[in-house]
Amino acid sequence: MIVYKLKSQDVDKVKGGQFAPDCYFNPVQDVDGNWIISIEELEGIQNPDFIFLTLKEDGEYVNVTPIEYKPVPVEL
Amino acid sequence: MRKTLKVVAFGGGPADAFIKAAGITDSTQQTAIKTLVNDLNGYGLWSKMLGIYPLVGGTASSHSWNLKDTTKLKMRWVGGMTHDSNGVTGNGTNSYGQPDITGTTGINATNYPPLTATNYGISLYQRNTSVEYIPQIGFGYADGYFLSSYGGGTTSYFRGISLSQVSGTNSNKTGLFHMYGGSGVGSGIVNGTKVATGTGGQLQNPALGTFLWFGANNGAGYSNRNFAFFTVSEYLNDTEAANLYTSIQKFQTTLLRQV
């Protein structure tokens, strides 16, 4: 599964931010410590404050990096 | 002067408020909502409900409204939840729903009496299954959770906070999962049938504390399943829990999304 790695300087801005009506970002860390958001969040952005995350140059995202999701193992 | 007697079903007030807030224009959905309110009232359940999330309308906004009271506990959708006519589906990565308690210290006896640790009921309607090892509802405390099955097994777990849980064999992986805590007892009900129960400390401290996490385990694990109803209520006895299932299953059947 592809997720989108945030730049370190954007993490705090994105955390808890409202990207669309009734919808809020939830950046989480993968097993390597990268802060990532999901494709559903990225493609659902309506709030102008976060449009910068969707910017592309030459078809590539400028402010996020697509990476394979490597979750942190969860134990109950 | 000719007088006209106008009969207004109970479902009119709260149902109309919800329909307006959620922007529900489909007549079948409108009828289903009004019937649901009437049924819950007829079974004596309406007054015990705190949060009713029918997840109807197909959008994040329409799914966020609380049918019981559109001025309270609006659902916030966090992370990458997908919304459609079947409700909400988690992405297994970072998605969950959480009643908005902004401005309060949580869903508890102080803010929402008479809820207490020994007077609560929580439920979800799950439409599909997947092999996952994390609970489908977290209760805000580290060890409070509800788990319909672990790794695709045939046991369901209903856990209050720390140390103890009740569990029982359950072959039903879909439908309405309800757990409640009363004085000295806590139980898990699946599609109206009790599958687990226990006394002592079990299930008596559910967290109705800071947050409820629908579709996730307190930020430590996220479900990828499809959910079509959530509720938060006072304690329901076994009969009431069965009637809650009857009401919700009728609602889902009308919407052609029953399992």
Side-chain angles (χ1 to χ4, degrees):
Chain A
M1 179 197 310
I2 297 297
V3 294
Y4 293 86
K5 177 184 173 183
L6 296 170
K7 293 180 177 178
S8 58
Q9 65 266 32
D10 293 331
V11 173
D12 286 342
K13 181 176 183 179
V14 169
K15 274 184 182 176
Q18 186 171 4
F19 64 87
D22 302 304
C23 297
Y24 299 81
F25 283 114
N26 182 27
V28 295
Q29 283 186 293
D30 68 9
V31 74
D32 295 322
N34 299 310
W35 286 97
I36 60 97
I37 60 173
S38 64
I39 190 170
E40 293 88 359
E41 292 162 284
L42 187 63
E43 293 184 346
I45 293 173
Q46 297 178 30
N47 184 342
D49 291 346
F50 299 107
I51 289 293
F52 73 95
L53 293 172
T54 68
L55 295 180
K56 289 183 176 180
E57 286 183 5
D58 299 327
E60 303 289 333
Y61 285 108
V62 175
N63 293 311
V64 294
T65 304
I67 60 174
E68 186 67 28
Y69 181 48
K70 293 190 285 185
V72 177
V74 176
E75 292 184 10
L76 290 178
Chain B
M1 178 184 293
R2 188 173 183 176
K3 293 185 177 179
T4 301
L5 177 63
K6 186 178 182 181
V7 177
V8 179
F10 179 81
D16 286 346
F18 175 87
I19 287 167
K20 181 179 180 182
I24 304 297
T25 57
D26 180 89
S27 61
T28 299
Q29 294 175 355
Q30 292 178 347
T31 299
I33 292 162
K34 291 180 179 180
T35 301
L36 173 65
V37 174
N38 277 323
D39 286 346
L40 293 174
N41 186 55
Y43 284 125
L45 297 174
W46 181 260
S47 63
K48 297 189 175 188
M49 306 308 290
L50 177 70
I52 305 171
Y53 303 96
L55 307 181
V56 62
T59 68
S61 291
S62 65
H63 291 167
S64 68
W65 293 96
N66 176 6
L67 173 59
K68 176 61 190 289
D69 185 341
T70 55
T71 69
K72 292 181 179 178
L73 296 179
K74 194 178 183 189
M75 191 75 84
R76 298 161 57 98
W77 300 110
V78 185
M81 193 72 87
T82 298
H83 302 263
D84 60 26
S85 60
N86 285 325
V88 301
T89 302
N91 64 3
T93 303
N94 69 346
S95 58
Y96 62 97
Q98 198 162 67
D100 188 353
I101 53 173
T102 301
T104 76
T105 56
I107 300 173
N108 53 39
T110 300
N111 294 312
Y112 299 100
L115 285 186
T116 68
T118 56
N119 180 15
Y120 78 95
I122 299 170
S123 58
L124 67 76
Y125 192 93
Q126 179 170 277
R127 296 188 69 253
N128 64 354
T129 62
S130 57
V131 176
E132 60 184 13
Y133 297 86
I134 57 98
Q136 288 75 48
I137 297 178
F139 297 145
Y141 289 97
D143 291 321
Y145 60 70
F146 156 97
L147 177 60
S148 64
S149 70
Y150 184 77
T154 56
T155 301
S156 291
Y157 302 87
F158 305 87
R159 184 167 184 162
I161 180 170
S162 73
L163 299 180
S164 61
Q165 64 186 8
V166 294
S167 61
T169 300
N170 169 43
S171 58
N172 284 319
K173 300 295 190 353
T174 59
L176 188 73
F177 288 73
H178 178 79
M179 67 180 288
Y180 65 74
S183 180
V185 63
S187 297
I189 310 276
V190 180
N191 294 336
T193 300
K194 185 186 292 186
V195 300
T197 191
T199 58
Q202 295 174 336
L203 284 180
Q204 292 190 54
N205 295 301
L208 299 167
T210 307
F211 295 110
L212 287 168
W213 303 64
F214 288 107
N217 179 33
N218 309 318
Y222 301 88
S223 177
N224 61 9
R225 293 180 180 167
N226 173 208
F227 305 108
F229 214 106
F230 298 128
T231 72
V232 185
S233 68
E234 299 176 32
Y235 162 78
L236 306 181
N237 63 33
D238 293 350
T239 299
E240 291 170 331
N243 289 336
L244 178 66
Y245 167 66
T246 299
S247 303
I248 291 176
Q249 186 68 352
K250 182 178 176 182
F251 174 79
Q252 307 290 20
T253 301
T254 302
L255 298 181
L256 302 177
R257 61 183 196 183
Q258 78 282 3
V259 291

